[in-house]
Amino acid sequence: MTEDALLDGRVRLVQPRRGHRAGSDAVLLAAACGEADGETVADFGAGVGAVGLMVAARHPSCRGVLVENDPALAALARRNVALNGLADRFKVCEADILAPASIRRQAGLEAGSAGLVVTNPPFWPAGRVRTSPDAGRRAAHVMADEALDGWVRAAADVLAPGGRLVLIHRVDGLAGLLATLAGRFGDIAVRPVHPRCDRPAVRLLVAARKGSRAPLRLMPGFVLNGPDGRFTPEADAVHRGTASIAME
């Protein structure tokens, strides 16, 4: 295990030295969640809790639940909640997001209980990438295409009417994601993330509102690195936790 610092030390995170580790995807997702003070936040597929804990650090009056199916990662998420002094605001729910709703209820994940769901779902389809021999890394990265529909359906179930879903996804998965959101979510905002200003996007930040009929919006791209390979001022501020990524 290692203990790492995120957002300039505002979040401490114990995570496995090997396997899937929190990185820029988690930082970007937490920065794109919009106003969350006073909200109940659910972090789907929370792993060790990186995204949910960064949302908590950014929005001191929000409360929430870290939803994780792997018992070992859920135990680390509980440890990280305590490490960051958030036991009075955040809890860990050990639940399979893709299980039937009745099973999720038994685990404590109630319908209409959240105003915001944030998630970094495993977004590489099986067979499209070389899978890691590490089980944790494999589970964090690879999920069957049809499982994304169940993931989004579960988010819609947990969200209250008008609640928001914010996620990060792969670029070539946009068409499938939009099809999955259709009929459940509207007011969809898509913001491409570029490694440099002259390079194609490598990720998409997507925000959507449950039950809305507002049209889709394509937002300006967010650029991570300048010509020198270092973070742009905007990306540096996001990683320090002093700036957010607008999705409105």
Side-chain angles (χ1 to χ4, degrees):
M1 296 294 166
T2 63
E3 183 177 318
D4 303 296
L6 302 171
L7 306 186
D8 257 1
R10 289 162 60 194
V11 173
R12 297 162 64 193
L13 196 73
V14 175
Q15 56 183 333
R17 185 178 297 276
R18 296 187 177 185
H20 178 72
R21 290 171 58 81
S24 279
D25 281 5
V27 174
L28 297 174
L29 178 57
C33 72
E35 180 53 53
D37 278 320
E39 295 272 23
T40 297
V41 181
D43 178 2
F44 273 20
V48 300
V51 175
L53 296 175
M54 284 189 283
V55 173
R58 285 175 165 275
H59 304 277
S61 67
C62 74
R63 308 178 70 86
V65 57
L66 310 178
V67 186
E68 175 54 50
N69 189 42
D70 184 293
L73 293 180
L76 281 174
R78 292 188 186 94
R79 180 175 172 182
N80 285 325
V81 167
L83 181 64
N84 288 277
L86 290 168
D88 60 333
R89 292 172 52 202
F90 272 70
K91 64 180 181 179
V92 176
C93 176
E94 201 168 315
D96 182 356
I97 292 162
L98 298 177
S102 59
I103 302 299
R104 296 198 303 270
R105 303 281 186 277
Q106 291 174 17
L109 204 56
E110 296 295 330
S113 58
L116 171 66
V117 169
V118 292
T119 184
N120 181 1
F123 51 59
W124 293 109
R128 284 279 305 280
V129 294
R130 180 180 296 177
T131 57
S132 171
D134 181 88
R137 185 184 290 269
R138 187 166 60 249
H141 291 172
V142 177
M143 181 169 69
D145 271 337
E146 60 272 16
L148 181 62
D149 182 77
W151 203 275
V152 170
R153 185 170 59 248
D157 176 61
V158 169
L159 282 168
R164 295 176 297 120
L165 169 65
V166 182
L167 58 87
I168 191 165
H169 202 59
R170 72 182 201 276
V171 172
D172 69 339
L174 178 59
L177 175 61
L178 292 178
T180 297
L181 293 170
R184 300 183 179 116
F185 292 87
D187 192 20
I188 300 167
V190 179
R191 188 155 193 181
V193 178
H194 300 261
R196 288 175 42 170
C197 65
D198 58 349
R199 301 286 176 84
V202 291
R203 292 287 187 270
L204 298 173
L205 289 164
V206 180
R209 190 172 297 276
K210 179 179 174 179
S212 173
R213 295 186 178 182
L216 180 145
R217 292 169 288 122
L218 183 60
M219 307 294 290
F222 185 86
V223 180
L224 286 171
N225 302 303
D228 60 359
R230 297 182 179 182
F231 280 145
T232 62
E234 295 80 9
D236 183 66
V238 162
H239 281 78
R240 291 180 181 277
T242 59
S244 299
I245 300 175
M247 297 298 291
E248 296 291 339

